[in-house]
Amino acid sequence: MTRHFLRDDDLSPAELIEVLDLADAMKAAPFDHKPLAGPHTVALVFDRPTLRTQVSFAAGIAELGGNPMTVDGGLAAMGKREGVEDVARILGRQASAIVWRTAHQSDVDTMADHAGVPVLNALTDEFHPCQLLADLQTVREHKGRLAGVRVAFVGDGACNMGNSWVLAGASAGMHVVVGAPEGFTPDADVVARAVGIAQETGGSIQLSVDPLEAVKGADVVVTDSWVSMGREEESADRLRIFPPYGVTDELLAHAEPDAIVMHCLPAYRGKEISESVIEGPQSVVWDEAENRRHAQKAVLTWLLERS
């Protein structure tokens, strides 16, 4: 059976730890693992703007001994010029795995159904699972554990990062609190799924409209852009709603004194996060950005070994 990584709960809690352990090993010895020697080709398809995703996957695939083949999503025009099903069959015969950054989760699901090789979701509007692997690796590095860690995600909880944090955090046995205005909470079905997972792992999921309540006692404070890709027309309204949820020194003071701050980037300083916080001693955003490479190498290797 071909394994895919399309959303965070595609890995069981035990499998998640396996991947994170492998990511740590690959970070410690980045050139010791060559599962793509040959080289095998991995197709990287980008329909959405990218910096960290493209460079981390390209560098990581090269370190694994493989060939990163970048496909311009605009030129390919998948779903318009030709159907996703047909493109999946083409790419699956040219590459050992497919990485796709696009808008619709349903398209990534369709790709996985027809490719015959592992498909990795490098971002959709619904989920950002590769980012969460890097985030969890970063938390373990700085906190020494995941289970029992309290995480506050503040801002637009209805984005892909909000959905992914509740799923991945639950799988890791963490206590995740999403602080977001009404109407901007994670998808209700995703929250229900995360609550079910948390009951098995000892974690918990909580939603709050109060940013101070969300951050109180947090070991990790996470935020993301208030205006996600594809939501630009809502920018003016969102910039009126979200300022109380900005991660400032004042808000951060309600977290634990040794709390770390994370942001998947790009960051809009002075909006969802202040300059003093992102450049301050509690910020681990650059570790987080680097860990995309290690975590993605690990999950790609793990999927290939089990497919």
Side-chain angles (χ1 to χ4, degrees):
M1 181 182 70
T2 303
R3 292 292 301 265
H4 306 286
F5 191 47
L6 310 180
R7 46 185 279 167
D8 305 83
D9 54 349
D10 281 341
L11 297 176
S12 70
E15 291 171 342
L16 173 63
I17 298 304
E18 287 181 17
V19 170
L20 292 174
D21 287 345
L22 182 56
D24 288 345
M26 289 180 164
K27 184 171 184 176
F31 304 108
D32 284 2
H33 302 80
K34 300 292 183 184
L36 295 176
H40 291 269
T41 292
V42 176
L44 305 177
V45 188
F46 300 114
D47 297 343
R48 286 287 181 88
T50 177
L51 172 63
R52 282 152 298 280
T53 298
Q54 182 171 351
V55 299
S56 58
F57 264 113
I61 290 163
E63 288 180 0
L64 293 174
N67 169 49
M69 178 178 67
T70 300
V71 179
D72 185 324
L75 293 177
M78 289 186 289
K80 298 177 182 178
R81 184 167 175 265
E82 54 189 314
V84 174
E85 298 89 343
D86 292 352
V87 174
R89 295 182 179 103
I90 297 298
L91 291 179
R93 293 193 178 206
Q94 302 292 346
S96 296
I98 300 166
V99 176
W100 194 10
R101 182 180 176 94
T102 191
H104 304 299
Q105 185 73 21
S106 60
D107 286 341
V108 175
D109 293 340
T110 299
M111 178 74 76
D113 287 341
H114 294 86
V117 299
V119 174
L120 289 79
N121 175 4
L123 175 144
T124 61
D125 289 344
E126 289 88 348
F127 301 102
H128 201 354
C130 289
Q131 179 67 56
L132 260 292
L133 290 179
D135 286 5
L136 295 182
Q137 183 179 16
T138 306
V139 173
R140 287 213 312 184
E141 287 177 344
H142 288 272
K143 294 299 177 182
R145 62 190 173 95
L146 293 175
V149 170
R150 181 179 173 89
V151 179
F153 183 97
V154 289
D156 180 13
C159 71
N160 50 18
M161 285 295 290
N163 287 336
S164 280
W165 254 111
V166 295
L167 279 181
S171 294
M174 306 172 89
H175 302 295
V176 180
V177 184
V178 179
E182 290 187 19
F184 293 94
T185 54
D187 179 86
D189 290 338
V190 173
V191 171
R193 169 64 175 151
V195 168
I197 295 171
Q199 289 173 348
E200 300 175 1
T201 63
S204 65
I205 305 298
Q206 179 184 346
L207 306 180
S208 174
V209 298
D210 184 346
L212 298 182
E213 178 187 12
V215 170
K216 185 178 180 180
D219 303 299
V220 182
V221 178
V222 186
T223 191
D224 191 10
S225 169
W226 293 338
V227 185
S228 298
M229 287 181 285
R231 301 282 188 174
E232 289 80 6
E233 75 281 357
E234 303 173 12
S235 178
D237 288 338
R238 286 169 174 260
L239 292 178
R240 284 194 295 269
I241 293 170
F242 282 109
Y245 299 85
V247 181
T248 61
D249 292 299
E250 291 75 19
L251 185 67
L252 189 57
H254 293 269
E256 289 297 302
D258 62 347
I260 59 173
V261 177
M262 304 176 72
H263 191 310
C264 66
L265 304 175
Y268 298 91
R269 302 171 189 226
K271 293 185 172 66
E272 75 272 7
I273 192 167
S274 69
E275 176 81 11
S276 58
V277 170
I278 196 171
E279 294 294 350
Q282 292 171 268
S283 171
V284 297
V285 299
W286 316 118
D287 295 341
E288 182 186 2
E290 178 193 336
N291 283 341
R292 287 289 298 275
R293 183 169 93 256
H294 312 302
Q296 289 162 181
K297 287 171 62 177
V299 72
L300 177 57
T301 299
W302 192 93
L303 292 171
L304 288 167
E305 288 177 346
R306 285 156 181 79
S307 295

